[in-house]
Amino acid sequence: MSTSTRAALLVCPASGKGRAARMAGTVAERLRAVVDRLDLHVARTAEGTAAAARRAVDDGVDVLVVLGGDGGAHLAVQACAESPTALAVVPAGTGNDLATALGTTSVDDVVTALREGTRADYDLGRVENGPWFATVLCAGFDSAVNERANAMRWPAGPRRYDLAILAELAALRPRRLVVETEDDVLELDALLVAVGNTTSYGGGIPVCPDASVTDGLFDLTVVRAAPRRTLLRMLPTLRTGRHVDHPAVQTLRARSARLSGPSWVAYADGERLSGMPLTTTCVPGALTAVIGAGGAAVTGAG
């Protein structure tokens, strides 16, 4: 990449239980070898991360590199969307779904992509009167797990989510859902709906296995009401993407979707939204991304 490149490194030190903080010095050193100037920002809160990302983009950096997890990446997307600043992600969180979609699973991948100038224009989802999202917007069972886990004080780490899943399975009840797209209207009792810009959420679960970040469309996965035992049998297939073959699962493709339900809570990129009903639209090419060999739509040197 040309020596005129300006980059900013945004460190989210709490990500990965302090993993980002431990990596920061090494990552900064590696990045300085492939850019002309590197500004360093350390943000210890979500508000600080959002403000630092906005400052970097407003300052006109060519690349904003986030060292953190999906939460930090989500906040950086808000600043980089529809701007000339490219986003790069060095994964240091627990899920790292956006980094996986970008094909940057390590600092080595980011350094190589910066050196070679490998970038692509990726679609983003935008919630009306709400945020941008890069990966998956979901509501239903998985959002209820998030809600329960966030309210729990014990235990720490992944065990909290394991217990939340068990508790939500025990309390599982279908809820009325209406999904409206430009071509379809579904009104049904459902357990889950996912609107995928990328394929995966939750640390690599391909809930929308055929989603593409470059086709200008969302992939929607809707799980209809089914007995608890059916869901238990279906859960393992989520890891392989084979759940879409189940009769209780319906898939759609759309440019926009309106979701409504009387008691549904929605999350996007793992972050809680203000509530439903909501409308979200796929915005083609809204994000310029620095991508590794595993990322989609490699456009070559820039």
Side-chain angles (χ1 to χ4, degrees), residues 157-224:
R159 287 270 306 154
R160 178 181 299 177
Y161 285 89
D162 292 341
L163 291 179
I165 287 170
L166 291 174
E168 285 303 320
L169 279 172
L172 187 65
R173 296 291 184 275
R175 297 177 182 179
R176 201 66 182 166
L177 172 70
V178 180
V179 179
E180 300 172 70
T181 73
E182 61 269 22
D183 297 319
D184 298 282
V185 177
L186 299 181
E187 187 169 356
L188 70 166
D189 292 330
L191 299 173
L192 176 154
V193 57
V195 181
N197 182 53
T198 63
T199 62
S200 302
Y201 66 177
I205 298 171
V207 67
C208 300
D210 297 320
S212 166
V213 291
T214 59
D215 65 357
L217 299 170
F218 292 132
D219 278 29
L220 282 73
T221 299
V222 181
V223 180
R224 295 176 174 274

Side-chain angles (χ1 to χ4, degrees), residues 70 94-98 100 135-138 141-142 145-146 161-162 165 192 194-196 198-211 221 234-244:
D70 284 322
T94 53
N96 303 313
D97 288 301
L98 181 54
T100 300
T135 57
V136 177
L137 183 154
C138 63
F141 174 74
D142 40 9
V145 170
N146 267 319
Y161 285 89
D162 292 341
I165 287 170
L192 176 154
V195 181
T198 63
T199 62
S200 302
Y201 66 177
I205 298 171
V207 67
C208 300
D210 297 320
T221 299
M234 190 190 303
L235 282 175
T237 67
L238 277 169
R239 285 288 176 185
T240 64
R242 295 296 304 275
H243 59 285
V244 296

